[in-house]
Amino acid sequence: MKRLFMSVLLTIMCSFFAFAGGVKYLSGNKKLFKNAEGGMLLEISFEGATYDYSCPLEERWSDIDLYTLKARDGFIQDFRENFSKVYITDNASEAKYRISIKIDNVDMYAKVMSWVPGPAIKVWGTLVISDAASGEELLKLSLKELCGGASPSQHEAMSDTFELLADELKKFK
């Protein structure tokens, strides 16, 4: 019985530390989404990003455009589920805000102790929400080792990581 208890405790601790990274507040309005209404332009950039701080990301992933598309799709999917007064738009004339996500580093590893074993992706970078008209920075967040769940494919793992990022924005309601 003692061994079973210790095994369960160890599993819980490992699960906790697996999600130790995430989104950290840097500056701006912590309750931005409480009163925000209107469209938001979404920009995701992997320009200048590295893979595991060792080589340019483009050298590792020649199809970086597909990863960017999957990141965008994943972010938008969860953003729509979490917010009703603000929405992602491609129309600059109706956008009141701009979300800029700049990824500096990406790492990938295999998750074997999860519901769905497979590749998982971690990202480091910044997320800035600014006023579309004035450019004033309204909220700035740091992404440090943000990791979504494992997926059957690397592209879906990228989508999962950005779904988690959109989910983390609920903290700022």
Side-chain angles (χ1 to χ4, degrees), residues 54-151:
S54 62
C55 68
L57 188 58
E58 293 85 16
E59 285 181 18
R60 184 69 184 233
W61 290 340
S62 59
D63 58 346
I64 191 68
D65 292 337
L66 183 55
Y67 281 98
T68 305
L69 181 62
K70 286 298 198 176
R72 181 179 173 79
D73 291 346
F75 186 88
I76 291 172
Q77 176 184 336
D78 258 41
F79 193 87
R80 284 182 182 152
E81 292 173 9
N82 294 327
F83 300 100
S84 58
K85 294 180 183 179
V86 289
Y87 56 92
I88 304 295
T89 182
D90 291 328
N91 186 348
S93 64
E94 70 180 73
K96 292 177 72 176
Y97 308 96
R98 180 179 308 273
I99 301 176
S100 298
I101 303 170
K102 171 69 175 99
I103 301 301
D104 300 321
N105 184 56
V106 175
D107 195 10
M108 186 174 58
Y109 66 101
K111 258 189 177 178
V112 292
M113 299 298 288
S114 69
W115 293 106
V116 179
I121 293 179
K122 296 179 189 180
V123 296
W124 288 257
T126 56
L127 180 147
V128 175
I129 299 176
S130 57
D131 184 275
S134 69
E136 176 190 358
E137 191 175 280
L138 303 173
L139 179 66
K140 186 173 186 177
L141 307 172
S142 169
L143 314 177
K144 182 179 178 188
E145 207 171 325
L146 180 69
C147 180
S151 288

